[in-house]
Amino acid sequence: MRLIIELKPESEQNLLSVDIQFLIPKLIKFVFSKANQEEFAKYQTKPLSDYLNFNLKISPKPRVYNDTLIVGGNYKLFITVSSYSKEIIGLLNEGLLKMKHLLIQNHKFSIQNLELIESQISTDTVKVIPMAPVLSGKTAEEQKFPFYFKWNSPEFMTTIEENIKNEYNSVFNTIPEEGIKVKYDDNYLKFHQNISQIVVVGKRKQKAIWAPLYLSGSKELIQFALDMGIGLNREQGYGMLDVYTPKPKSEETVKKPKRVNIDDLLDNFGNTIEYNKKDVVEEEPLDDNEIWNWMKFIDIHSHIINQIDDG
């Protein structure tokens, strides 16, 4: 289940840091403090990232100057929060309904709209679009930071698939037999040889992907991946997915020319042209002698033209 929070700045010019998405978890925790604390208490035993995924979008695209986002008064912020738990999304919505605005880096943003979205997967293969870059990697036993895989290495996808199953098992204590497969869109790769993108994680640059994917297998695992995102560093806003919906064809398609009856044609003044079929004189067909004469005429002229070209 998802909740889309639409925010609008209350001042004409707002300066935000480029890593603003890292502040969203603190903002979400603050909103939860306004909700029913008894119901929220059971979710406080684990990190928030175990229960939800989030994404931040600013529209239109803000200008960037010295690691600062310049957000005007006509801009809008869209924070999408997704979770497998309807209850936790409901608590977040409850907290927001008690508030008129949110404070982000000392700037007030009024809450314009709250939209709850619930979608159920009905097929065993779904095409998805990442709403944010997707990272994949593993952390060794004695290592502090994970080792990130390149997008074209086999471990990139197999690690993501294993993580989805392990996280599902930690929540529901079971793993569907069908499992899950995550694959690239082959048609997309034909036109994009390199789909990697540099992102900053913990002040370190890492390579992520931002390209269409296919999820196939268990409907439960596909739904879980859509609700919770995929890959590493989801607590920082990475890895959220959305179901791909093709763009509707433009209505301004090229129309075939219509056949027009000559009787319906208009003159330069918009009046119907008076066309009298009786005035048309039909020519009589040529007889055999006339056809023979025309053929001799064409043959002679062709011979003359060839001589001119040769000379």
Side-chain angles (χ1 to χ4, degrees), residues 73-128:
N74 60 328
Y75 283 60
K76 288 186 177 181
L77 272 66
F78 297 90
I79 301 175
T80 303
V81 183
S82 181
S83 175
Y84 65 84
S85 170
K86 295 181 182 180
E87 185 178 20
I88 201 166
I89 294 295
L91 288 170
L92 184 63
N93 187 60
E94 178 189 332
L96 287 165
L97 289 173
K98 298 177 181 179
M99 307 169 68
K100 294 183 179 180
H101 64 261
L102 294 174
L103 193 65
I104 304 176
Q105 291 187 327
N106 298 321
H107 296 286
K108 281 187 177 181
F109 288 81
S110 60
I111 300 173
Q112 297 287 299
N113 187 44
L114 300 173
E115 182 181 3
L116 287 167
I117 300 175
E118 183 178 5
S119 60
Q120 293 294 328
I121 298 302
S122 58
T123 61
D124 56 4
T125 301
V126 178
K127 184 176 181 179
V128 297

Side-chain angles (χ1 to χ4, degrees), residues 134-135 148-149 156 196-199 205-209:
V134 177
L135 295 142
Y148 291 87
F149 299 122
F156 192 97
S196 64
Q197 179 175 341
I198 299 297
V199 297
K205 293 183 178 180
Q206 306 293 347
K207 285 188 176 182
I209 64 164

Side-chain angles (χ1 to χ4, degrees), residues 8-15 71-75 106-110:
K8 189 177 185 300
E10 295 186 359
S11 57
E12 288 302 317
Q13 186 167 338
N14 307 270
L15 303 179
V71 179
N74 60 328
Y75 283 60
N106 298 321
H107 296 286
K108 281 187 177 181
F109 288 81
S110 60

Side-chain angles (χ1 to χ4, degrees), residues 12 107 158 164 177 203-204 208 216 225 248 260 274 283:
E12 288 302 317
H107 296 286
T158 55
I164 294 171
E177 294 181 0
K203 297 183 179 181
R204 296 186 179 188
S216 60
V260 180
E274 294 183 3
E283 296 184 358

